[in-house]
Amino acid sequence: MSQHKQLQEGRWFEMSLAEQMSHIGSEVFRALAWKKKGNENYSWMALERALELLDLQLQDSRYRSRLKEFCRLREVICDYFIGGNEYGSTEKQWENYFLSFNRAARKNF
């Protein structure tokens, strides 16, 4: 079931890359926060929303040249939350990665 029906109906594809990545990052931040608090259910729901947004990102034809990057991002996020964290990601690295998009998105407003 889609959590982001309005975004799927086209709004997502009108956003800038920074805005899109900022939205994905917000869900990743929520998943991290709930994981830290020990609420696996809420963490899982936020992760599902982040992956749903990443799937929308993969459909955005404006960024076809970055398809490999977005696929790898999805893979590493899944590895961190679901797999064995073979890539050795840390909460701080996720924060640093997505905060740069948040700053860029705010700069454009």
Side-chain angles (χ1 to χ4, degrees):
M1 181 172 163
S2 173
Q3 299 287 322
H4 298 97
K5 186 173 171 81
Q6 183 181 18
L7 293 177
Q8 285 180 331
E9 292 173 350
R11 186 168 175 269
W12 181 261
F13 304 102
E14 296 169 3
M15 292 180 183
S16 69
L17 176 63
E19 289 172 309
Q20 291 171 334
M21 295 300 287
S22 182
H23 280 280
I24 295 167
S26 292
E27 296 298 349
V28 170
F29 291 153
R30 285 184 188 95
L32 290 168
W34 285 116
K35 184 177 181 178
K36 188 184 285 188
K37 291 178 183 180
N39 191 324
E40 291 297 320
N41 187 46
Y42 281 8
S43 179
W44 180 258
M45 290 188 311
L47 174 62
E48 284 180 327
R49 291 189 303 269
L51 294 176
E52 181 181 350
L53 292 176
L54 260 170
D55 290 343
L56 282 175
Q57 187 67 34
L58 292 169
Q59 296 172 29
D60 195 332
S61 60
R62 296 176 293 170
Y63 306 115
R64 278 286 172 228
S65 64
R66 300 182 90 162
L67 189 61
K68 186 175 179 179
E69 176 185 352
F70 297 137
C71 287
R72 180 56 54 110
L73 175 61
R74 194 179 198 291
E75 176 184 352
V76 177
I77 286 174
C78 288
D79 174 60
Y80 181 79
F81 285 99
I82 302 168
N85 196 20
E86 294 179 29
Y87 293 106
S89 303
T90 66
E91 184 177 334
K92 186 67 176 164
Q93 288 172 327
W94 288 119
E95 290 173 359
N96 289 339
Y97 178 77
F98 284 110
L99 281 176
S100 61
F101 292 108
N102 290 356
R103 286 186 204 107
R106 276 185 293 180
K107 211 174 185 185
N108 292 330
F109 285 112

